[in-house]
């Protein structure tokens, strides 16, 4: 495959960018013409941010799996689509060619149909990073079902919340998942979740760990048995369902500053075009390159840049089941060496963690195949940037810092490898087609250099369309802060040349190891512990995780009184039960009161400063109801 829309130089970037602003419709129509359509669009774009009504490629018909698989078969049928590296390096890896992928996806799509799945049905996927997860994702898209993948670090209760919100009648899971030295009991967590989800009528269970699990008659079936059934029936490979450009492709839940996680909805055509276009441009992907994105498919990075973007581009995408430090801190570099990886895309938290092991894990690893490095998830600090660039890229590989979000579907601001200049710890320039804006507190757009709240003022194909089941919430959250703009929740700096440096969230959302965590959600979970009266959660700088979770807790339970560590463990266990292990607080400080204004609002600014060890400049505390609590909290600082 060749990519006529692949930008080759800075000059070309500037030209293309300018055109994308001047003639957005022509710009996107040209890119869209490189895809396979059942029917072409009537209009390229109709939009209205006020009511949040955005339609890309209206009237067009397609199926994303025909673009990710079928259209490659003639030329790339025998080329690897997916290379899968298991958790245990002694187990054999697997390669699925595009032909294999076609066979497996069309076969599993038949399994879905046999189990009664229809276009528009919601299917929840709770699986480890095995090829069957990618196959299941694509099989859902093949039959037009809306998938909702849930990361393995969420609790049964979080799964149940998502199943209920999506009203999903189907679940695909595994007996368990291998992650480093741990086995995660996926099916058992699903069983717990289903106690409160009687509407789920079918659970398809894929074998991975062979952990003993319960299988409930009439509800649970084995993946492998279902495959045998469609083989026995001699069913022809499932023909792709014809989808409307704006039909939902998937729901992915993400946390915000208030309430329960929102189901971000992405649609078929725009998402497909944008993930492919951005993948090919940011990484300067060349046919045959082996591309390794270390993200889990449970997050947007895995959706857009392990599965859909690379496969639609006919790329070879490497899926890794395990974690960076298992069996040791050289694992990523072993994988690069073993599979001759050309592009590696990972997160600052992983880089910082691996950096802390020194150079020893790099000894004897051949990294000479690497051509491009990528970073995502949080602002990359200078030390991590340089280590990645020098030690891994040997100073010769462009490092792309891709800024984007679950809601944006694909990269928004990033340098483009071998085309636009990189700059340490700066995401640099918007991709052509993306129109960012910086806005001050009063909602006025800032011109030229400056700093402010980062917005996007023109639609792009892979933008969020709605939050599942609650369109009003989507409008409120993203499109009402600043009229006629999408508000990202991030702050940014901009220089005279239009380069952006993302400074982090400006709302009550934490970024812990690249995972988005809502402080209100964690507070609710802590408050569910029987002895807790009230709590307040803030972030603090953490060497490896970027941000750690700092909880201030008012506790009046009698049980274990005096043994703070035991109480901390119980609170942590409560959070793990309610949200999942990814939201465990790193520090819990017991306090007798929280700094509140006279109107009862917690002054988080003060708590944040104390957690950050900035106890000197707490700013104005005169509006506090009881300034004494601040002194007490400062003294008890962990
Ligand atoms: C938030 C989105 C999008 C994939 C992973 C996270 C932060 C993400 C960068 C970057 C600075 C970044 C932002 C953003 N973020 N990438 N390259 N530089 N910050 O997806 O869970 O939707 O979180 O991650 O704060 O708002 P997400």
């Amino acid at each position: 495959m060749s990519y006529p829309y692949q930008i080759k130089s800075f000059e070309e970037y500037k030209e293309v960018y300018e055109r994308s602003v001047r003639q957005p419709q022509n710009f996107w129509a040209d890119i869209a013409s490189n895809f396979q359509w059942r029917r072409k669009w009537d209009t390229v774009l109709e939009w209205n941010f006020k009511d949040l009504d955005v339609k890309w490629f209206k009237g067009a018909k397609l199926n994303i799996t025909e673009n990710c698989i079928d259209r490659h078969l003639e030329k790339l049928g025998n080329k690897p689509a997916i290379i899968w590296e298991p958790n245990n390096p002694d187990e054999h890896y697997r390669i699925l060619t595009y032909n294999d992928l076609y066979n497996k996806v069309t076969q599993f799509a038949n399994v879905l149909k046999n189990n009664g799945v229809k276009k528009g049905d919601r299917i929840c996927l709770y699986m480890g990073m095995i090829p069957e997860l990618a196959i299941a994702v694509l099989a859902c898209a093949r039959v037009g079902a809306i998938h909702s993948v849930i990361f393995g670090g969420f609790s049964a209760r979080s799964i149940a919340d998502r199943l209920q919100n999506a009203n999903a009648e189907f679940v695909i899971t595994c007996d368990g998942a291998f992650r480093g030295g741990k086995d995660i009991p996926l099916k058992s967590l699903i069983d717990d979740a289903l106690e409160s989800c009687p509407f789920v009528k079918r659970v398809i269970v894929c074998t991975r760990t062979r952990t003993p699990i319960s299988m409930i008659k009439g509800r649970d079936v084995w993946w492998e048995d279902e495959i045998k059934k469609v083989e026995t029936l001699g069913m022809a490979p499932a023909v792709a369902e014809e989808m409307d450009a704006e039909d939902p492709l998937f729901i992915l839940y993400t946390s915000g500053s208030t309430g329960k996680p929102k189901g971000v909805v992405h649609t078929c055509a725009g998402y497909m075009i944008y993930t492919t276009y951005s993948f090919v441009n940011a990484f300067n992907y060349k046919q045959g390159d082996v591309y390794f994105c270390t993200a889990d498919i449970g997050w947007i990075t895995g959706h857009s840049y392990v599965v859909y973007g690379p496969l639609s581009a006919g790329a070879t995408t490497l899926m890794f089941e395990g974690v960076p430090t298992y069996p040791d801190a050289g694992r990523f570099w072993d994988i690069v060496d073993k599979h001759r990886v050309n592009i590696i895309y990972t997160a600052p938290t992983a880089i910082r963690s691996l950096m802390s092991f020194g150079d020893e894990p790099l000894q004897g690893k051949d990294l000479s195949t690497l051509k491009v490095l990528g970073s995502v998830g949080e602002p990359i600090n200078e030390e991590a940037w340089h280590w990645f660039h020098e030690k891994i890229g040997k100073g010769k590989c462009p490092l792309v810092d891709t800024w984007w979000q679950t809601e944006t579907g694909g990269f928004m601001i990033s340098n483009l490898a071998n085309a636009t200049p990189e700059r340490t710890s700066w995401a640099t320039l918007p991709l052509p087609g993306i129109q960012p804006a910086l806005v001050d507190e009063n909602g006025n757009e800032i011109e030229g250099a400056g700093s402010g709240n980062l917005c996007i003022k023109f639609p792009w194909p892979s933008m969020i369309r709605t939050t599942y089941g609650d369109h009003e919430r989507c409008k409120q959250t993203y499109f009402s802060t600043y009229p006629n703009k999408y508000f990202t929740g991030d702050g940014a700096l901009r220089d005279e040349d239009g380069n952006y440096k993302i400074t982090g969230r400006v709302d009550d959302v934490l970024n812990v190891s690249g995972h988005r965590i809502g402080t209100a959600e964690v507070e609710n979970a802590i408050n569910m512990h029987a002895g807790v009266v009230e709590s307040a959660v803030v972030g603090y700088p953490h060497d490896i995780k970027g941000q750690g979770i700092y909880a201030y807790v008012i506790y009046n339970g009698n049980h274990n009184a005096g043994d703070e560590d035991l109480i901390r463990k119980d609170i942590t266990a409560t959070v793990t039960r309610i949200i999942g292990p990814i939201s465990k607080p790193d520090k819990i400080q017991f306090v007798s009161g929280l700094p509140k204004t006279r109107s009862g609002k917690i002054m988080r600014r003060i708590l944040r400063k104390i957690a950050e060890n900035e106890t000197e400049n707490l700013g104005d505390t005169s509006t506090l109801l009881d300034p004494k609590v601040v002194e007490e909290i400062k003294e008890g600082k962990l």
Side-chain angles (χ1 to χ4, degrees):
M1 251 183 111
S2 71
Y3 313 109
Y5 47 84
Q6 192 169 48
I7 295 164
K8 288 164 200 71
S9 68
F10 197 24
E11 283 315 302
E12 188 185 344
Y13 164 82
K14 288 182 225 168
E15 241 170 69
V16 174
Y17 186 83
E18 199 267 328
R19 173 165 175 258
S20 80
V21 175
R22 196 167 25 88
Q23 301 182 314
Q25 308 222 3
N26 293 348
F27 171 77
W28 288 112
D30 284 353
I31 294 174
S33 68
N34 294 285
F35 291 77
Q36 189 167 309
W37 302 92
R38 295 271 185 96
R39 181 186 188 274
K40 289 243 164 133
W41 50 92
D42 299 319
T43 56
V44 175
L45 171 64
E46 289 177 16
W47 69 290
N48 166 355
F49 275 178
K50 191 169 155 284
D51 308 316
L52 184 54
D53 184 10
V54 177
K55 290 190 174 62
W56 281 95
F57 309 106
K58 193 172 158 191
K61 303 280 181 196
L62 76 156
N63 186 291
I64 194 167
T65 68
E66 290 187 332
N67 285 271
C68 289
I69 309 173
D70 305 48
R71 68 167 167 155
H72 304 316
L73 295 180
E74 196 188 323
K75 289 202 176 115
L76 304 173
N78 293 317
K79 296 275 190 271
I82 296 177
I83 300 176
W84 175 73
E85 172 69 18
N87 182 56
N88 177 350
D90 298 329
E91 189 182 332
H92 211 283
Y93 62 90
R94 286 167 65 186
I95 291 185
L96 276 78
T97 64
Y98 275 96
N99 284 330
D100 296 335
L101 193 61
Y102 173 81
N103 292 333
K104 300 241 179 240
V105 169
T106 54
Q107 190 178 45
F108 193 66
N110 279 333
V111 167
L112 294 178
K113 287 184 179 178
N114 272 353
N115 279 279
V117 174
K118 297 201 176 49
K119 177 175 177 172
D121 286 347
R122 277 82 50 220
I123 308 192
C124 162
L125 276 56
Y126 189 64
M127 303 169 78
M129 279 288 281
I130 55 175
E132 284 69 20
L133 171 52
I135 291 164
V137 161
L138 292 163
C140 288
R142 188 87 176 169
V143 303
I146 303 168
H147 57 76
S148 180
V149 185
I150 302 178
F151 176 66
F154 284 111
S155 68
R157 200 188 154 109
S158 293
I159 299 168
D161 283 345
R162 286 157 172 76
L163 284 166
Q164 285 161 6
N165 182 269
N167 194 14
E169 292 179 332
F170 301 90
V171 172
I172 307 172
T173 189
C174 298
D175 44 5
F178 295 126
R179 268 176 73 78
K182 284 190 225 137
D183 295 1
I184 302 166
L186 297 175
K187 175 60 163 64
S188 155
L189 282 152
I190 287 289
D191 288 338
D192 290 346
L194 295 197
E195 296 282 331
S196 54
C197 301
F199 49 86
V200 171
K201 52 188 186 198
R202 181 70 78 239
V203 181
I204 302 177
V205 186
C206 183
T207 308
R208 174 57 183 140
T209 55
R210 207 51 198 97
T211 314
I213 54 172
S214 77
M215 289 293 283
I216 304 298
K217 191 184 295 161
R219 188 192 73 186
D220 302 348
V221 295
W222 291 107
W223 174 298
E224 298 77 12
D225 294 350
E226 295 304 295
I227 294 283
K228 284 208 193 82
K229 272 191 214 158
V230 299
E231 277 172 356
T232 314
L233 290 169
M235 289 173 82
V239 173
E241 188 74 29
E242 185 167 286
M243 305 297 284
D244 193 86
E246 283 293 335
D247 276 339
L249 175 63
F250 65 84
I251 306 170
L252 184 58
Y253 287 85
T254 191
S255 295
S257 49
T258 58
K260 287 196 175 173
K262 296 179 279 285
V264 173
V265 174
H266 283 290
T267 56
C268 294
Y271 178 81
M272 168 180 84
I273 285 159
Y274 196 80
T275 53
T276 316
Y277 154 85
S278 53
F279 168 76
V280 158
N281 275 301
F283 297 119
N284 193 223
Y285 187 82
K286 298 275 164 43
Q287 198 59 62
D289 285 348
V290 175
Y291 159 82
F292 174 23
C293 168
T294 67
D296 193 287
I297 293 176
W299 307 110
I300 191 69
T301 309
H303 283 64
S304 301
Y305 300 110
V306 174
V307 181
Y308 286 114
L311 293 176
S312 166
T316 297
T317 176
L318 192 153
M319 246 180 108
F320 174 42
E321 184 181 33
V323 297
T325 48
Y326 182 84
D328 58 51
R331 188 64 194 279
F332 277 2
W333 325 126
D334 283 325
I335 295 174
V336 169
D337 188 335
K338 176 172 170 186
H339 297 288
R340 319 296 296 152
V341 170
N342 303 111
I343 304 167
I344 183 169
Y345 184 39
T346 191
T349 182
I351 297 168
R352 286 191 300 265
S353 144
L354 297 178
M355 238 167 78
S356 71
F357 291 87
D359 291 354
E360 203 272 327
L362 294 167
Q363 300 301 313
K365 313 288 158 75
D366 181 1
L367 305 181
S368 65
T369 48
L370 285 175
K371 298 195 291 189
V372 175
L373 314 173
S375 170
V376 63
E378 58 177 300
I380 178 167
N381 52 304
E382 297 205 2
E383 200 190 351
W385 194 99
H386 286 296
W387 188 84
F388 197 26
H389 196 254
E390 304 313 317
K391 300 282 177 177
I392 306 305
K394 314 293 178 197
K396 69 175 172 62
C397 302
L399 194 173
V400 296
D401 179 2
T402 60
W403 173 80
W404 59 299
Q405 309 179 295
T406 304
E407 295 86 346
T408 71
F411 308 149
M412 302 296 281
I413 303 183
S414 175
N415 52 311
L416 309 180
N418 302 316
T420 71
E422 68 193 13
R423 179 160 162 198
T424 309
S425 301
W426 284 64
T428 73
L429 296 167
L431 269 72
I434 303 305
Q435 301 186 33
L438 286 183
V439 175
D440 67 19
E441 301 87 82
N442 307 320
N444 298 318
E445 203 176 321
I446 300 165
E447 299 293 335
S451 78
N453 292 337
L454 183 58
C455 296
I456 313 290
K457 58 182 178 182
F458 193 82
W460 63 103
S462 63
M463 65 181 281
I464 181 174
R465 296 299 194 276
T466 191
T467 47
Y468 194 79
D470 195 348
H471 195 61
E472 199 49 42
R473 186 173 180 200
C474 188
K475 279 189 340 198
Q476 280 299 326
T477 308
Y478 305 106
F479 295 89
S480 71
T481 319
Y482 304 112
N484 238 5
K485 290 184 181 68
Y486 165 82
F487 177 43
T488 66
D490 280 321
L493 308 176
R494 185 172 56 207
D495 72 5
E496 305 76 41
D497 301 322
N499 290 294
Y500 289 86
K501 180 181 171 71
I502 313 301
T503 48
R505 303 288 306 197
V506 295
D507 52 11
D508 289 323
V509 171
L510 307 183
N511 189 326
V512 180
S513 300
H515 299 154
R516 200 202 280 199
I517 295 186
T519 50
E521 236 185 298
V522 182
E523 285 164 8
N524 286 337
I526 292 174
N527 296 348
M528 286 177 80
H529 182 278
V532 170
V533 179
E534 200 181 3
S535 64
V537 165
V538 297
Y540 72 96
H542 186 289
D543 285 347
I544 305 285
K545 299 179 179 185
Q547 270 186 311
I549 302 179
Y550 197 115
Y552 298 92
V553 174
I554 305 176
Y555 186 83
N556 78 349
N558 286 323
H559 193 70
N560 289 330
D563 192 338
E564 293 199 337
D565 271 342
L566 264 182
I567 301 170
R568 283 194 184 97
K569 283 182 185 147
D570 286 346
I571 292 175
T572 304
T574 309
V575 175
T576 303
R577 164 68 57 181
I578 301 301
I579 309 177
I582 64 164
S583 295
K584 283 194 288 207
D586 297 277
K587 294 187 181 179
I588 297 175
Q589 178 182 346
F590 294 104
V591 297
S592 65
L594 293 166
K596 288 190 179 170
T597 60
R598 284 186 194 89
S599 59
K601 213 168 127 8
I602 296 175
M603 286 188 82
R604 289 163 178 289
R605 177 178 57 80
I606 292 176
L607 294 174
R608 225 177 278 133
K609 287 228 159 143
I610 296 175
E612 286 167 4
N613 260 334
E614 276 188 45
T615 44
E616 298 311 310
N617 300 310
L618 292 181
D620 182 13
T621 55
S622 63
T623 54
L624 281 180
L625 191 61
D626 178 10
K628 277 204 308 291
V629 296
V630 176
E631 289 313 309
E632 180 215 296
I633 293 174
K634 269 161 63 173
E635 270 158 38
K637 163 84 180 53
L638 298 172

